[in-house]
Amino acid sequence: MPDYRTRSATVRDLPRISAIYSHAVEHSLATFDLEPPDLDYWQTRLDGQHPGDHLIVAVNDDDDAVGYAYSWSFRPRPAYDYTRETSIYLDGSVRGQGVGLMLYPALLQTMAVSGVHTAIAAVSLPNAASERLHVRCGFQKVGEFREVGNKFDQWIDMAFYQRMLVNMPTGEAVVG
Ligand SMILES: CC(C)(COP(=O)(O)OP(=O)(O)OC[C@H]1O[C@@H](n2cnc3c(N)ncnc32)[C@H](O)[C@@H]1OP(=O)(O)O)[C@@H](O)C(=O)NCCC(=O)NCCS
């Protein structure tokens, strides 16, 4: 695998992050967004005010972001405070090379250290790579919704995945 590493995102990464997600919005069913969000959306995710909110990137040799993963609110009501929803997107040029298996565990570890109890991910179907990544990173599928999205004139199913983080020790190898 080429030399990639992970680090916390900075403001310099936001245009690359935005470009990666915008391409997915416009060309795939992986996200239910229909229009790409603006840079302020990504600035808000970078600034996350909750201790369990993180935005991290996988970078290449030139320190340019080739993918990102973040944690954010699952639902706004306060009893959900220790639960965060996760998301991961890679540039098309680096998919299928193990970058997801490096980046996602780094996010989960960071979330665990900051006190997040459980991570939840929503995966639109079909998405074999994402489903496999979640299973490899210790998530369990907890259910599927039928035809909850409509994009490009298609009905889209969605699966929820969950991983408990509460007892994840610092430095645990999440992948296994
Ligand atoms: C989903 C995504 C983050 C996975 O990251 P990745 O770097 O491509 O995946 P990896 O190379 O780390 O592989 C992770 C696992 O998925 C498997 N996998 C990867 N691509 C696959 C594919 N196209 N079909 C089936 N399995 C696949 C790998 O074999 C590996 O499983 P294994 O270790 O048991 O062999 C990435 O493909 C991506 O950004 N996709 C588009 C955006 C997206 O769908 N995001 C998720 C939204 S829920």
Side-chain angles (χ1 to χ4, degrees):
M1 188 174 92
D3 203 11
Y4 299 110
R5 64 188 177 85
T6 62
R7 61 167 170 76
S8 295
T10 70
V11 70
R12 188 181 80 84
D13 299 312
L14 297 186
R16 282 291 304 141
I17 290 171
S18 175
I20 290 166
Y21 186 62
S22 295
H23 189 274
V25 170
E26 289 168 346
H27 299 284
S28 84
L29 300 177
T31 166
F32 283 4
D33 265 331
L34 303 179
E35 300 287 340
D38 60 18
L39 272 184
D40 286 348
Y41 172 92
W42 293 109
Q43 185 69 54
T44 302
R45 265 129 194 89
L46 181 67
D47 293 341
Q49 301 299 314
H50 186 286
D53 291 341
H54 305 282
L55 175 60
I56 66 173
V57 286
V59 297
N60 60 19
D61 281 343
D62 296 324
D63 201 39
D64 292 325
V66 296
Y68 68 87
Y70 72 85
S71 49
W72 198 251
S73 167
F74 170 57
R75 300 189 76 177
R77 292 194 171 116
Y80 287 114
D81 219 27
Y82 293 89
T83 299
R84 309 310 283 167
E85 185 165 342
T86 55
S87 182
I88 178 168
Y89 282 79
L90 307 182
D91 184 80
S93 64
V94 304
R95 291 177 198 161
Q97 302 174 41
V99 176
L101 279 173
M102 176 183 65
L103 179 60
Y104 215 30
L107 174 69
L108 297 172
Q109 183 70 64
T110 307
M111 292 165 67
V113 167
S114 59
V116 178
H117 186 82
T118 180
I120 289 178
V123 180
S124 63
L125 302 175
N127 190 338
S130 182
E131 289 205 280
R132 184 67 189 148
L133 175 69
H134 282 89
V135 170
R136 288 279 279 121
C137 292
F139 283 75
Q140 292 182 319
K141 185 185 270 193
V142 291
E144 282 189 21
F145 295 110
R146 316 306 302 180
E147 301 187 354
V148 288
N150 190 291
K151 186 173 181 182
F152 305 150
D153 293 325
Q154 294 174 56
W155 288 109
I156 310 162
D157 299 344
M158 191 265 281
F160 264 135
Y161 281 80
Q162 178 173 25
R163 174 170 173 151
M164 306 307 297
L165 302 177
V166 60
N167 289 321
M168 182 188 288
T170 306
E172 177 191 335
V174 179
V175 177

